[in-house]
Amino acid sequence: MANTTPALPAATTPALASVTPSAPRTLLLAQLSNSVGDGAFYVTSALYFTGVVGLSAAQVGAGLAVAWAVGSSAGVPLGALADRRGPRGVSVLLALVTAAAVGSFLLIGSFPAFLAAATLYACAQSGLAAARQALLAGLVAPADRTAVLARLQAVLNAGLAVGAALGGVALHAGTRGAYLAVLALDAAGFLLCALLLARLPVPAPAPAAAPRAASATAVLRDRPYVVLTLLNALLLLRMPVLSLALPLWIAQRTAAPGWTVSALFVLNTVAVTLFQVRAARSVTDLASAARAVRGAGAVMLAACAVFASTGLPGLGAGGSAAVLVLGAVLLAHAEMQHAAGSWQLGIALAPADRIGQYQGFYGAGVPVARALGPLVVTTLLIGGGPTGWLLLGGAFLLAATATGPAARWAAGTRSAAQEAGSVTSAGGPG
């Protein structure tokens, strides 16, 4: 993208509270506190729900799909609540609600109870993500936000890795008590997260919006931001590639040994933990963010082409494993570049007084990818073979290439709105 991307008007930069340098460190500790428990929960939850609670795999899958579908729609109103009531207090409240939701998994014994607990969990998680983004925006200078978000992502992956190892111990034990201990650990992690977030300063309030723009659905009228969110959601379909599509692909379409699945997961986790901060250093404004996303799309296409080649005849076990590792390296690089660019775009293009609402909408791509991604990628890749990989890679490239024009459209409407003396979201180009 050319370097002529319109600069954001000054009015979109939130007023910052007078904070100490410890604020980013507190955010990092809060992220670490809940990510360790989450890592253990992720690797044990399916077996807990089926083996201990007694649900069928179909019930677990359907319940989680419904829960995340509801959760994705809850992000906007809960983010708007953070804008009205203050992101710190709402973040603390939603961390406590998440802890309660995880704790309720200890008590469930039927599908309706599981569905209710999972829906509460998904809603609280979606709202918490939006409120924490608004809290970060209020406590961290705009030029430093992407760097802090990169550090948060690195800490998240490190915590998930530690938690996954603890979950592995619980899986090895295979007892009801071990699974309950994992749930208790995750709930305690969110309680600690709430305590840490409560120690942060209260961000200074942003200028008040006009009544119409201040509604909880203002983001839905911001057409360029909606387009940007949809493009980002499409790019987030990369999430189930590593966790679901590749394990099935390796088992059914390649000669690679089974341990390759875990090796690729470890490779991705370590790479993001070590290099996400470095990958985000070059992303400092809208132009560099759009370039990062566009580059990520090209690398995603290359990764998909590499994965597609492992389905062709002639590769032995060692050759298939080596090619899969190359594809995983490319995928990890694309993930880090996309993450850095999308963070900058999502926050920088959100009006200062509605960051929680906008982040709730922008972040809905994650639960959507969790709910629909498995069906899309398994149908496309397992059913379509190498051609499916190339189609998916082409879709990634198209979405990434379209992100730059969408960002320029959004920035242009905000500049036009400022020149007109308006604080409402623009509905399209002037």
Side-chain angles (χ1 to χ4, degrees), residues 53-67:
V53 178
L55 302 176
S56 68
Q59 286 178 317
V60 173
L64 291 177
V66 171

Side-chain angles (χ1 to χ4, degrees), residues 279-335:
R281 285 175 183 166
S282 61
V283 179
T284 57
D285 54 19
L286 291 179
S288 57
R291 284 196 301 271
V293 173
R294 186 178 61 204
V299 177
M300 284 183 196
L301 173 59
C304 288
V306 169
F307 290 137
S309 70
T310 62
L312 301 176
L315 282 178
S320 295
V323 175
L324 286 167
V325 167
L326 172 61
V329 170
L330 292 172
L331 186 63
H333 176 73
E335 175 185 339

Side-chain angles (χ1 to χ4, degrees), residues 11 14-15 83-84 204-215 351-354 421-424:
D83 295 329
R84 293 195 304 270
R212 181 176 183 270
S215 73
D353 55 345
R354 298 188 294 280
S422 171
V423 294
T424 62

Side-chain angles (χ1 to χ4, degrees), residues 222-245:
D222 191 337
R223 286 184 287 172
Y225 199 87
V226 169
V227 171
L228 196 67
T229 299
L230 292 174
L231 293 172
N232 187 59
L234 178 56
L235 289 167
L236 285 172
L237 290 179
R238 62 172 169 75
M239 294 172 59
V241 167
L242 184 66
S243 62
L244 180 63

Side-chain angles (χ1 to χ4, degrees), residues 9 33 42 109 156 170 217 229 309-310 316 351 357 387 392:
S33 67
Y42 292 156
L156 170 65
T217 59
T229 299
S309 70
T310 62
Q357 179 188 153
T387 301
L392 180 63

Side-chain angles (χ1 to χ4, degrees), residues 350-384:
D353 55 345
R354 298 188 294 280
I355 287 181
Q357 179 188 153
Y358 271 59
Q359 284 298 292
F361 183 70
Y362 194 74
V366 174
V368 167
R370 286 175 172 171
L372 300 181
L375 176 63
V376 172
V377 299
T378 53
T379 300
L380 189 62
L381 303 182
I382 307 305

Side-chain angles (χ1 to χ4, degrees), residues 45-55 179:
S45 59
L47 291 180
Y48 169 73
F49 292 135
T50 56
V52 176
V53 178
L55 302 176
Y179 290 127

